[in-house]
Amino acid sequence: MTAKILDGKAVAAKERQRSAARAADFVSKFGRAPGLAVVKVGEDPASAVYVRNKRRACEECGIASFAHDLPATASRAELLGLIHRLNRDDLVDGILLQLPLPKGLDSTEIMDTIDPAKDVDGFHPTNTGLLAQKRPGLRPCTPWGVMRLLKEYSIDVTGMRAVVVGASNIVGRPMALELLLGRATVTVCHTGTRDLQGEVQRADLVVAAVGKAAYIPGIWIRDDSVLIDVGINRLPDGKLAGDVEYAAAAERASWITPVPGGVGPMTIAMLLSNTVDAALARKGVKGGP
């Protein structure tokens, strides 16, 4: 068996076109573009690349991007003051805080300060709670992007035995909530899981979100299952690799996401979608899918 590719790059392009059309419609109705403020603290090289890509994506979709780059020496008071100003700024519909923050700054405290209505990352406890209560508002971009990708390829998770490997607040936990909304039967694996191999081998759908290259042997992937690899890990030779041994897994799975070109592009695409949704909601218009 050779797995078919879940082409996140192609699906993300379609989603970005949709966001561009919605942003243009917003401009025609309200006289301004949806606005996204991107806050970066310090000079982390990876963060600089991510922020540059996000700002470029905004420009391509007709979303106004407001850059706020603070030095690594910025104090807690300076950063909180900026967030409070952005919360009150009527031109700003979404606020994105690029992580990680420099040492000494509490990312949880800062993210909790963001207005939930402008939380386009979907990380605020209010938005996480709404997702848990089956009343999703602004949804975490990576899990939401995974669901959008599955939908594009007509993969219905209803009744599937889904295993999420990784329990982070950014991917693992909200991914489990999204799959529950899709009526899958969900198991979340973490450092306390006793039989990770067995859990993965029994799964119809595996979502790997560990952040360690080739953490899951490809031979664990069950024949004819669906594999979503969220991991993006840089190897010593500079190449990118996922959390699962790709070659071996691709011989067994029915569908698989490549790394790169799988989940990564979907994350940015759903960020843009969330920004337009937030702008519409702030105008009293339901803008969700």
Side-chain angles (χ1 to χ4, degrees):
M1 177 184 298
T2 301
K4 290 173 282 188
I5 298 298
L6 293 163
D7 190 343
K9 190 173 181 180
V11 179
K14 291 178 64 174
E15 190 64 32
R16 285 164 70 153
Q17 289 176 353
R18 177 173 174 267
S19 291
R22 296 168 67 217
D25 185 61
F26 185 92
V27 172
S28 68
K29 290 179 178 177
F30 301 108
R32 69 168 179 87
L36 175 65
V38 181
V39 179
K40 180 174 72 72
V41 185
E43 300 301 330
D44 179 77
S47 291
V49 173
Y50 294 148
V51 166
R52 184 165 61 249
N53 290 341
K54 289 168 183 175
R55 289 171 178 165
R56 183 184 303 121
C58 284
E59 293 173 2
E60 292 173 354
C61 284
I63 293 173
S65 176
F66 305 110
H68 296 274
D69 296 335
L70 302 182
T73 55
S75 68
R76 168 182 175 273
E78 288 176 303
L79 184 51
L80 286 173
L82 172 60
I83 297 298
H84 286 305
R85 290 194 297 276
L86 295 175
N87 283 341
R88 297 190 299 268
D89 191 336
D90 286 338
L91 297 180
V92 173
D93 301 295
I95 302 171
L96 185 149
L97 177 66
Q98 182 64 43
L99 300 177
L101 294 177
K103 291 182 179 180
L105 294 173
D106 184 345
S107 59
T108 299
E109 178 191 21
I110 305 301
M111 288 191 295
D112 285 358
T113 305
I114 295 173
D115 181 351
K118 297 187 177 187
D119 168 40
V120 289
D121 264 331
F123 294 160
H124 194 280
T126 295
N127 288 320
T128 302
L130 288 170
L131 181 60
Q133 291 190 351
K134 300 187 288 187
R135 299 186 291 151
L138 293 172
R139 303 156 91 145
C141 298
T142 297
W144 186 214
V146 169
M147 299 307 290
R148 172 69 181 84
L149 186 59
L150 292 170
K151 181 179 179 181
E152 180 70 20
Y153 285 91
S154 300
I155 298 173
D156 184 0
V157 303
T158 301
M160 278 190 174
R161 183 192 294 270
V163 168
V164 179
V165 185
S168 72
N169 290 335
I170 294 174
V171 180
R173 292 170 189 266
M175 187 73 253
L177 293 174
E178 288 285 2
L179 289 166
L180 281 172
L181 275 179
R183 302 180 64 220
T185 299
V186 184
T187 298
V188 179
C189 296
H190 43 73
T191 54
T193 299
R194 293 180 179 176
D195 183 17
L196 177 60
Q197 179 176 349
E199 296 292 352
V200 171
Q201 287 177 330
R202 288 187 289 271
D204 302 309
L205 168 66
V206 175
V207 180
V210 182
K212 295 182 180 179
Y215 183 80
I216 299 173
I219 198 170
W220 288 7
I221 302 302
R222 206 193 75 192
D223 287 350
D224 206 34
S225 60
V226 178
L227 173 59
I228 304 293
D229 196 339
V230 179
I232 302 179
N233 310 286
R234 192 166 295 280
L235 301 176
D237 62 5
K239 295 181 180 179
L240 296 177
D243 290 346
V244 183
E245 288 183 332
Y246 184 87
E251 293 179 359
R252 306 170 70 87
S254 59
W255 291 95
I256 193 170
T257 55
V259 178
V263 177
M266 294 303 302
T267 298
I268 293 182
M270 302 322 292
L271 168 69
L272 301 174
S273 179
N274 274 355
T275 301
V276 179
D277 284 346
L280 289 167
R282 295 183 66 242
K283 293 295 186 180
V285 180
K286 180 175 174 53

